[in-house]
Amino acid sequence: MLDYKKLFDLSGKAAVVIGAGSGIGRASAEAIGSLGAQVICADADLDGAEAAAAGIVAAGGRAEAYRINAAEGAEIEALAQHALRSLGKVDIAVSTPALNIRKLIVDYTEEEYDRVMNLNMKGAFNFFRSFGRPMMKQGFGSIVACSSMRAVTIEPGLGVYAASKAGIAQLVKAFAAEMGPYGVRVNAVMPSIIETRLTAPLKERADIFKTYAGHTVLNRWGQPSEVGSAVAFLASDAASYISGSSLSVDGGWTAIDGPPTGLTSTRPSA
């Protein structure tokens, strides 16, 4: 019988996680590190990256911190080259940074549009190129990006952010098709309402926090660890036949049209 535990084991793997300083990125780095991979924790917040790396090391893993501006293509390329020198290869590459400026489209400035797109969309583009090239030469690898449920569902004020996340989902499909012949898999996770630094302002408003929770079939917000676990799965050999997919980690938000109605189930009588 196949040893399924080994499919999830990342021992001997070399991983890079961009955005590892907090939230989903940190949870992804921790999950990947806990499964045995050596991790480079990269983030614009070096203190956060160092804390993430220290946590992995304290748990018996191997990790190092690296400072990066994920909106700069040259810095992403430098990280990829550093990873190759330091680790000798890159089996797993994950990128999670994102920026959202919540405004109606008519109120957006060009500078704000560029800030969102440069980090979210162009950042993903540069991430794919910089880590895809060495993986093509290796003949193996798993790349995981972070899209969002906003790629497929929207509300006023999120148009630009949603467009960037939909773009990432399409890039994932295209890049998966291009990388498949080289043995490289490309996927994304699509989280919904996760308690992170990005969503902290919403949590401060109890009415919105409760309303958003009610849009999920589980009636709650998600935790970064729940997305990090999905990232680790996509990175592992357990997902060896998954490529070009955007995995919903959304508590069922996109499974229904609006919030649940509150109808109760009726059990059949004996």
Side-chain angles (χ1 to χ4, degrees):
M1 185 178 72
L2 184 64
D3 187 346
Y4 285 92
K5 287 185 178 180
K6 286 186 177 180
L7 294 179
F8 293 89
D9 186 6
L10 299 180
S11 298
K13 303 286 188 181
V16 176
V17 179
I18 303 176
S22 64
I24 291 171
R26 180 164 184 170
S28 298
E30 291 174 345
I32 290 169
S34 71
L35 292 173
Q38 184 173 355
V39 188
I40 295 179
C41 300
D43 201 281
D45 176 10
L46 183 57
D47 289 341
E50 289 177 338
I56 293 171
V57 172
R62 294 183 298 166
E64 66 174 279
Y66 187 99
R67 188 185 183 283
I68 186 175
N69 178 355
E72 293 293 333
E75 294 199 20
I76 295 176
E77 178 63 24
L79 170 61
Q81 295 306 313
H82 168 76
L84 291 171
R85 290 192 301 270
S86 176
L87 306 178
K89 60 176 180 173
V90 178
D91 297 281
I92 300 162
V94 179
S95 183
T96 66
L99 172 65
N100 177 26
I101 299 176
R102 183 180 286 262
K103 278 188 175 183
L104 298 179
I105 291 172
V106 294
D107 294 328
Y108 248 85
T109 67
E110 287 192 28
E111 186 272 336
E112 290 169 334
Y113 176 90
D114 288 342
R115 283 177 59 201
V116 172
M117 286 296 180
N118 281 343
L119 178 59
N120 298 5
M121 186 65 183
K122 193 174 181 180
F125 164 74
N126 285 320
F127 165 66
F128 287 156
R129 289 196 308 166
S130 291
F131 286 91
R133 288 169 178 151
M135 286 185 179
M136 288 172 69
K137 294 179 180 179
Q138 294 173 169
F140 59 85
S142 177
I143 296 174
V144 184
C146 193
S147 180
S148 167
M149 69 163 183
R150 292 306 178 193
V152 295
T153 184
I154 194 63
E155 68 180 69
L158 295 178
V160 175
Y161 175 79
S164 72
K165 292 300 186 176
I168 289 172
Q170 290 297 90
L171 272 182
V172 162
K173 292 178 182 179
F175 205 48
E178 295 169 3
M179 292 291 101
Y182 299 91
V184 179
R185 296 185 297 108
V186 185
N187 293 288
V189 287
M190 292 201 321
S192 63
I193 46 171
I194 309 299
E195 292 191 52
T196 67
R197 185 167 56 191
L198 186 66
T199 59
L202 297 177
K203 186 178 180 180
E204 293 174 359
R205 297 183 56 180
D207 55 335
I208 293 179
F209 187 79
K210 183 178 180 180
T211 297
Y212 274 21
H215 271 271
T216 74
V217 300
L218 301 178
N219 195 36
R220 67 174 177 85
W221 284 57
Q223 296 302 311
S225 60
E226 294 176 299
V227 186
S229 298
V231 170
F233 162 66
L234 290 174
S236 75
D237 289 341
S240 59
Y241 202 55
I242 301 176
S243 194
S245 295
S246 291
L247 176 62
S248 294
V249 190
D250 65 357
W253 183 304
T254 57
I256 54 177
D257 185 13
T261 61
L263 294 176
T264 58
S265 61
T266 302
R267 295 182 179 180
S269 57

